[in-house]
Amino acid sequence: MSRPARVLVLNSGSSSLKYQLIDMDSGDRLASGLVERIGERSSRVVHTPLAPAGGRRERTERVADHGEALRAASAELRADGLGLDSPEVAAVGHRVVHGGPRFTEPALVDDDVLAEIEKLVPLAPLHNPANLMGIRTARELRPDLPQVAVFDTAFHATMPEHAYRYAVDTATADAHLVRRYGFHGTSHAYVSRRAAELLGRPLEDTNVIVLHLGNGASASAVAGGRCVDTSMGLTPLEGLVMGTRSGDIDPAVVFHLSRVAGMGIDEIDELLNKKSGLVGLCGDNDMREIRRRIDEGDRAAELAFAVYTHRLRKYIGAYTAVLGRVDAVVFTAGVGENAAEVREAAVAGLEGFGLAVDAGRNAVRSGEPRLVSPEGARVAVAVVPTDEELEIARQTFALASSRDGGPEKRHA
Ligand code: ADP
């Protein structure tokens, strides 16, 4: 096949639709865009073609639902000569947040897969319905195209049972699918692979700790390309301190707040997911603002930074023990890629583990994968920019291409 192949990647949120059209030969974004405030009176459509084709276009109009949002995106793409009806578009890849215990790899969408994703809605009540809406809409628009669901949880399916099982009554846990699943899986998969390339080592023989530090944040221990532990759990609430989520707390805090403060379960859910983490500690969740406040001597911002980086050191220590041998600690996502102070503080005092950053290297700003540890360090410290959309596109294309000779359905 010599015709260029393109994959449309869709990330559907409850009131937004993000899209990227990716060329599979080069990995280039031919265009990307965002429709937000879907269903509200004035929605926003932003479309950015690949430079130098043209500048960003933005307009405000009413977009009633995800169907209209995808049609708006499709019209923008057509205006750039990249219409979804063109034969180059080989497949649509959808980010789906929760794959539960069933989806351990990407799945070619059919009615059965849709029904299974629907069954997982109680595990991800905000995300999965939006993801389903995106898939249904894309199917209506291009029923002939393969649609692939790529799950945030799937990369973590290789965790051994002693890592994913909570020490909770087995019958209750099993009846309600209570276990660790982990999230950000496409990012952990992409970054751990790129880290092995950066180190010049075979993936099968590379052990890394990946710290995905965006607004949501998660750590994973990856041995030979397979996830063996991760910090997020049944939901994305567990683990590291995040922008607005608490991460690890004593579960009894929930009982305490219910009994002593009289808070309802939805109120506590909102407290721990939306009003905790950095924002709960100091009122800001943007690391740039927190650093600015620290420079001005702000105590609350200092404490928030200290709690955040203390948690990172704890997980680096824990996952060093889980892996036995660590080749690299790898930082990614908005905070991990940009905040040199966070990287420095996360490994401070861990010289005994062979971990340190080189101040000069750590200060360099770049969009490329790079080492920030000193020359010859026993354990590398690296920054690897994540690319979840490219990973989704690749997994989608691989599955869609294998359809001809391969099995129709690969979900187990
Ligand atoms: P999301 O989880 O929303 O995808 P991102 O990976 O884009 O998040 O990360 C967003 C966060 O990255 C911001 O909230 C901010 O704290 C942080 N961030 C972005 N740029 C910088 C920067 N230059 N310095 C420090 N932190 C940054």
Side-chain angles (χ1 to χ4, degrees):
M1 268 208 340
S2 56
R3 187 193 290 146
R6 298 169 183 163
V7 169
L8 179 71
V9 176
L10 294 183
N11 185 349
S12 315
S14 54
S15 64
S16 69
L17 177 82
K18 290 186 204 148
Y19 60 93
Q20 291 198 358
L21 186 66
I22 299 182
D23 178 272
M24 294 318 298
D25 291 329
S26 60
D28 287 343
R29 270 68 182 155
L30 300 172
S32 61
L34 162 73
V35 184
E36 56 185 4
R37 300 198 297 267
I38 297 172
E40 292 179 29
R41 201 164 306 143
S42 79
S43 321
R44 198 163 75 106
V45 182
V46 184
H47 178 85
T48 312
L50 173 73
R56 171 187 143 110
R57 304 195 287 273
E58 184 173 337
R59 63 199 154 81
T60 307
E61 64 184 29
R62 181 166 154 69
V63 178
D65 54 29
H66 281 70
E68 274 190 25
L70 188 55
R71 276 188 287 279
S74 169
E76 293 292 340
L77 288 164
R78 196 174 317 116
D80 291 340
L82 297 168
L84 293 187
D85 47 2
S86 79
E88 284 88 359
V89 180
V92 183
H94 299 267
R95 173 181 184 227
V96 179
V97 166
H98 217 306
R102 163 109 187 236
F103 294 105
T104 59
E105 46 184 74
L108 199 58
V109 171
D110 58 17
D111 292 341
D112 175 42
V113 166
L114 281 178
E116 286 297 319
I117 297 173
E118 186 93 56
K119 275 193 211 154
L120 299 170
V121 165
L123 288 172
L126 292 181
H127 291 107
N128 273 26
N131 303 155
L132 277 167
M133 211 143 39
I135 298 177
R136 291 200 170 106
T137 304
R139 266 184 124 194
E140 278 166 30
L141 201 70
R142 282 294 309 268
D144 55 314
L145 269 190
Q147 313 270 334
V148 175
V150 179
F151 300 90
D152 253 25
T153 46
F155 179 64
H156 306 299
T158 50
M159 278 186 288
E161 187 169 0
H162 58 255
Y164 72 67
R165 186 168 278 281
Y166 292 123
V168 169
D169 170 67
T170 302
T172 309
D174 289 352
H176 301 288
L177 306 181
V178 172
R179 49 160 284 186
R180 175 182 310 288
Y181 293 99
F183 298 87
H184 293 143
T186 48
S187 177
H188 287 281
Y190 176 85
V191 168
S192 50
R193 215 176 45 238
R194 294 282 284 157
E197 285 169 18
L198 178 69
L199 298 178
R201 296 179 62 102
L203 181 63
E204 315 75 65
D205 185 35
T206 306
N207 288 356
V208 296
I209 297 172
V210 178
L211 300 168
H212 175 112
L213 312 178
N215 218 347
S218 63
S220 68
V222 183
R226 294 165 68 83
C227 176
V228 294
D229 207 350
T230 193
S231 61
M232 284 178 166
L234 175 80
T235 77
L237 183 54
E238 194 180 347
L240 302 176
V241 176
M242 312 184 207
T244 66
R245 296 190 194 116
S246 62
D248 295 336
I249 56 164
D250 180 347
V253 168
V254 177
F255 323 140
H256 180 79
L257 290 176
S258 164
R259 292 180 187 132
V260 176
M263 292 175 75
I265 209 70
D266 291 333
E267 211 181 338
I268 301 174
D269 188 330
E270 163 132 354
L271 176 83
L272 297 179
N273 274 296
K274 301 268 172 61
K275 298 179 178 168
S276 296
L278 294 171
V279 105
L281 289 166
C282 74
D284 270 307
N285 62 345
D286 192 312
M287 196 51 82
R288 286 163 288 201
E289 184 58 17
I290 291 172
R291 290 304 313 174
R292 197 192 58 72
R293 285 173 54 188
I294 291 174
D295 289 343
E296 289 175 352
D298 185 310
R299 273 282 300 138
E302 234 170 72
L303 181 64
F305 186 83
V307 174
Y308 185 94
T309 51
H310 176 70
R311 186 78 51 86
L312 285 174
R313 283 194 298 278
K314 271 172 61 166
Y315 269 91
I316 292 172
Y319 287 174
T320 298
V322 165
L323 289 168
R325 186 202 83 217
V326 181
D327 298 305
V329 172
V330 192
F331 289 87
T332 194
V335 176
E337 291 166 28
N338 295 299
E341 305 90 342
V342 169
R343 297 192 294 262
E344 184 185 349
V347 301
L350 301 186
E351 295 81 6
F353 289 7
L355 281 166
V357 294
D358 174 271
R361 288 180 170 187
N362 193 34
V364 172
R365 300 189 63 82
S366 153
E368 293 299 314
R370 58 201 186 273
L371 293 176
V372 296
S373 43
E375 192 66 41
R378 182 151 57 86
V379 180
V381 180
V383 180
V384 175
T386 192
D387 196 337
E388 291 168 275
E389 289 77 15
L390 181 60
E391 182 67 20
I392 291 172
R394 284 192 182 140
Q395 293 191 16
T396 296
F397 190 58
L399 183 51
S401 315
S402 76
R403 256 194 343 157
D404 307 329
E408 260 312 294
K409 279 183 254 167
R410 298 212 315 190
H411 61 279

